Amino acid sequence: MNLLTTLRLAFRALWRNKIRTFLTMLGIVFGIGAVIAMVAAGQGAQQSVKDVFDSLGTNVLSVESGGATSFGASGGAGSRASVTWKDFAALQSGEIPTIRWVAPLLTTKSQVASEQGNWNTSVTGTNAIWFQIRNWKTTQGDTFDQDTGEASAKVVVLGSTVATQLFPNANPVGQAIRIAGQPYEVLGVLESKGQGPMGDNDDIVVIPYKTYEQKLAKGLAKYVQGRVLVSMTDDEAADSTIAGITDLLREQHQLKATADDDFRVRNPAEFAKGQQDSTKRISWLLAIVAAVSLAVGGIGVMNIMLVSVIERTREIGIRMAVGATPKDVMTQFLVEALALSAVGGVLGLGVGYLGAYGMAHWIFKWKMFFPATTAAIAFGVSGGVGVLFGLYPAIRASQLDPITALRYES
Amino acid sequence: MALVDPGASLPSPRRADRPGALIEMRGIERTYYMGDNVVRALAGVDLTIERGASIAIMGQSGSGKSTMMNILGCLDQPTKGTYALDGRDVSRLSRAELASVRGRMIGFVFQSFNLLSRTTALENVEMPLLYQGLSSRVRRARAEAALERVGLHNRGDHTPNQLSGGQQQRVAIARALVCEAPIIMADEPTGNLDTRTSYEVMAILQGLVAQGITVVLVTHEPDIAAYARRVVTLRDGLVTEDRTQTPVIAGGSMAGDAAAHAAEQAAAAAAGAHP
Ligand SMILES: Nc1ncnc2c1ncn2[C@@H]1O[C@H](COP(=O)(O)OP(=O)(O)O)[C@@H](O)[C@H]1O
Ligand SMILES: [Mg+2]
């Protein structure tokens, strides 16, 4: 019997008992849904960690003003400025041997404009080192060099999104743009880094930090109006570097032994690891849900297939009488079990998508990850369940004696 | 596959010029064991059936008719004895081999029709072809032709519960015909039918004999056995009588039914050729 006909027969048999079929599928649906959500969460966690590193750089610590609160809580508006450019210089001084590079990171939102366009974007003030920390290269022109980075030159490096917005069909390098009304010369355009946890990585313009302070920052120039990124020689050094920075800044700020830190040193890798741990816990939970649902679903499939074999004993007898071999009968019932769980798998894919979306959106607050491989997983796992639990009923059907089966009264 | 006679797979074993009898049973026994109870349903039967024969197996209830038909139809195997079907020994085949022999050689017609419910007449008739690996186009065409042969070409889309008993049995006959099997086994084919429709069904079966198909009829009713040319009587699992007769000709009551009419003509012609 050819496969297409067998499939058609299977779907028709399932369609005849719509409600029963649907209820039987539920276990599979939720099982696959949980598997999909689990995979998506794992992928999401991986991607999110990668994004954190992409947007800050690897082996990087972040130092900013404010008391010790958890990562993510705003230290900006309410907290008192405490980290100064002197502190910055001290961090750069080489006193802490595990510090490789130091870059300021001052950011604000501002309107930028060219002859051809107008755009609201994030303006970053930093030095030349920052491009190295982020390992960010240009596709056109250049980033600013060491000296320009330390000068208050009115030069700018554009993120690719801004470049497209302001210069839809011209080479931006050498052109002039306005940032908050002030003219700047475009030095280069950065390569695209795509979407990150905070949105579009490429929606950015970068200017020297001194220029930033003069033209965009309000308040005293004594303090760093943002963060200081500290790049370490290796990530094993994180703990000792944090301790070193803490000691150094406490001394700089002349804090008493009993006083709390008035600055924060944070390790994005720690944050990423924390997210990974929480994903791991949820993944385990989902794995248990998936295993239980799939087992219950599989037993449901087996149960319904056994009922179906009994109900259709006479049909089996008739088919055998007209020439169906035991293998034909077995195939028919196996394909039916497979179809049942495969349809459950497809519905489960939908449920898993919603679950993954919900998790991404409400729990982890990261982007939705739903790689194409999840569809293959849904089919693979549900097919496996179908075969595993459909085999026994199918074998029972194939072993029926045609004479007994033909005489069977339902 | 030492048992396979290469000739057995020839597509048209119905041909009357093939050597040897179509069915050759020697010393067939079938014993049922139920606990301590031993029932010898068949106690040593010898039976030869020629190609194109019209034969009725008679006997009272419990005489072994159904057991006999099950073995003849390759649904069951004898406890003892040999059975050569179209020159091939089929008494010791595997279940799968038996199934394929049934598919190619035998069409069944049952007392209770045994059509698949909620399945159209056409699909019921197509069903055996599924196991012959034919394309759906060929299946459809052959099923339609088979329905036409039993005069139901315009009932293809009806399900069994939309058909009368006689029509259902005709669908079953079409299903038995669709694989071009050389043998039709009919176990009490009129058992669930009234006199008039029994007559229709017998007319069709006689028409098939006229077309060269071997029809083996199992019945306990002498009226029905009267339509066959040869009557074998069983008693307690043994053949007690084997006679040839001039069959009664079915037909006439189905004015307007082309197939039945054709069957009547054919049967009449066949009867004329062998007085
Ligand atoms: N599956 C079976 N198990 C046990 N005994 C059986 C079975 N089938 C038939 N018999 C017995 O074999 C004998 C012949 O039965 P059967 O071939 O059905 O006769 P008939 O069809 O002529 O009525 C009966 O005594 C019956 O009880
Ligand atoms: Mg009987």
Side-chain angles (χ1 to χ4, degrees), chain B residues 59-193:
Chain B
Q60 299 191 329
S61 180
S63 57
K65 304 186 294 295
S66 294
T67 304
M68 179 80 174
M69 198 190 85
N70 289 339
I71 292 174
L72 278 171
C74 294
L75 286 166
D76 192 11
Q77 292 196 304
T79 316
K80 234 188 212 162
T82 59
Y83 171 19
L85 175 58
D86 197 32
R88 178 187 184 187
D89 184 358
V90 294
S91 45
R92 302 287 178 271
L93 294 186
S94 72
R95 278 161 51 85
E97 287 169 322
L98 279 178
S100 93
V101 169
R102 286 195 297 271
R104 277 183 298 109
M105 299 288 292
I106 298 153
F108 288 95
V109 177
F110 302 97
Q111 177 173 355
S112 52
F113 319 140
N114 272 335
L115 298 176
L116 299 183
S117 60
R118 293 189 290 180
T119 303
T120 65
L122 192 64
E123 287 167 331
N124 263 291
V125 176
E126 258 186 59
M127 200 252 285
L129 299 176
L130 290 178
Y131 305 105
Q132 309 290 320
L134 295 169
S135 76
S136 69
R137 205 169 43 80
V138 173
R139 291 201 307 262
R140 169 110 341 177
R142 281 178 62 173
E144 275 167 354
L147 271 180
E148 184 131 25
R149 279 171 84 177
V150 297
L152 286 176
H153 45 285
N154 52 358
R155 295 283 197 280
D157 54 348
H158 289 218
T159 55
N161 58 7
Q162 296 169 328
L163 295 169
S164 72
Q167 288 172 328
Q168 286 184 55
Q169 196 59 299
R170 278 150 69 189
V171 172
I173 294 172
R175 182 180 64 193
L177 287 173
V178 77
C179 285
E180 306 284 341
I183 306 168
I184 300 271
M185 303 260 172
D187 190 359
E188 308 273 9
T190 59
N192 286 4
L193 301 176

Side-chain angles (χ1 to χ4, degrees), chain A residues 104-382:
Chain A
L105 186 63
L106 321 175
T107 55
T108 187
K109 280 270 172 192
S110 177
Q111 198 70 19
V112 296
S114 72
E115 305 262 284
Q116 293 152 68
N118 214 309
W119 188 245
N120 196 283
T121 189
S122 152
V123 181
T124 292
T126 187
N127 59 11
I129 286 292
W130 181 76
F131 296 101
Q132 268 171 287
I133 292 179
R134 286 203 60 177
N135 187 26
W136 209 349
K137 298 186 174 53
T138 54
T139 51
Q140 289 172 292
D142 236 316
T143 59
F144 35 83
D145 59 30
Q146 194 84 35
D147 294 343
T148 317
E150 299 298 327
S152 37
K154 286 184 10 185
V155 292
V156 63
V157 178
L158 304 183
S160 61
T161 301
V162 179
T164 328
Q165 289 298 332
L166 298 190
F167 300 96
N169 36 35
N171 183 350
V173 178
Q175 306 265 21
I177 66 164
R178 288 180 171 274
I179 301 172
Q182 298 281 328
Y184 289 77
E185 187 202 340
V186 178
L187 291 182
V189 178
L190 293 166
E191 68 188 6
S192 172
K193 285 205 186 245
Q195 288 290 323
M198 335 291 177
D200 183 359
N201 279 316
D202 302 318
D203 192 359
I204 191 174
V205 298
V206 188
I207 60 176
Y209 69 96
K210 282 189 176 145
T211 316
Y212 181 100
E213 289 212 297
Q214 284 168 17
K215 305 297 178 195
L216 292 164
K218 301 164 282 283
L220 295 168
K222 180 183 170 195
Y223 296 105
V224 177
Q225 306 281 313
R227 297 193 253 170
V228 178
L229 294 184
V230 175
S231 157
M232 297 173 287
T233 49
D234 66 297
D235 57 354
E236 301 292 300
D239 288 341
S240 69
T241 313
I242 290 172
I245 292 171
T246 305
D247 288 346
L248 179 71
L249 292 190
R250 286 186 69 92
E251 192 182 315
Q252 288 271 117
H253 297 180
Q254 298 175 341
L255 295 177
K256 294 201 174 71
T258 51
D260 287 337
D261 294 347
D262 58 354
F263 56 89
R264 278 175 295 158
V265 184
R266 296 182 311 194
N267 187 355
E270 283 293 313
F271 166 70
K273 203 175 149 291
Q275 273 216 325
Q276 262 179 328
D277 286 348
S278 85
T279 333
K280 228 174 244 163
R281 277 194 298 277
I282 290 195
S283 286
W284 269 109
L285 193 75
L286 286 170
I288 291 165
V289 170
V292 171
S293 300
L294 285 176
V296 170
I299 291 165
V301 168
M302 188 190 276
N303 182 42
I304 228 67
M305 290 313 296
L306 285 171
V307 169
S308 181
V309 169
I310 290 167
E311 282 176 352
R312 286 152 67 191
T313 300
R314 202 177 249 257
E315 176 192 326
I316 295 166
I318 295 169
R319 289 183 185 277
M320 286 177 159
V322 304
T325 60
K327 201 173 130 236
D328 287 327
V329 172
M330 186 173 116
T331 308
Q332 184 186 343
F333 281 89
L334 199 56
V335 167
E336 209 170 303
L338 245 166
L340 184 63
S341 43
V343 173
V346 171
L347 295 180
L349 197 61
V351 168
Y353 181 88
L354 293 178
Y357 181 84
M359 278 192 324
H361 208 250
W362 307 113
I363 303 181
F364 298 123
K365 302 194 169 31
W366 62 44
K367 275 183 300 151
M368 174 70 186
F369 291 100
F370 205 70
T373 46
T374 47
I377 291 172
F379 271 111
V381 174
S382 60

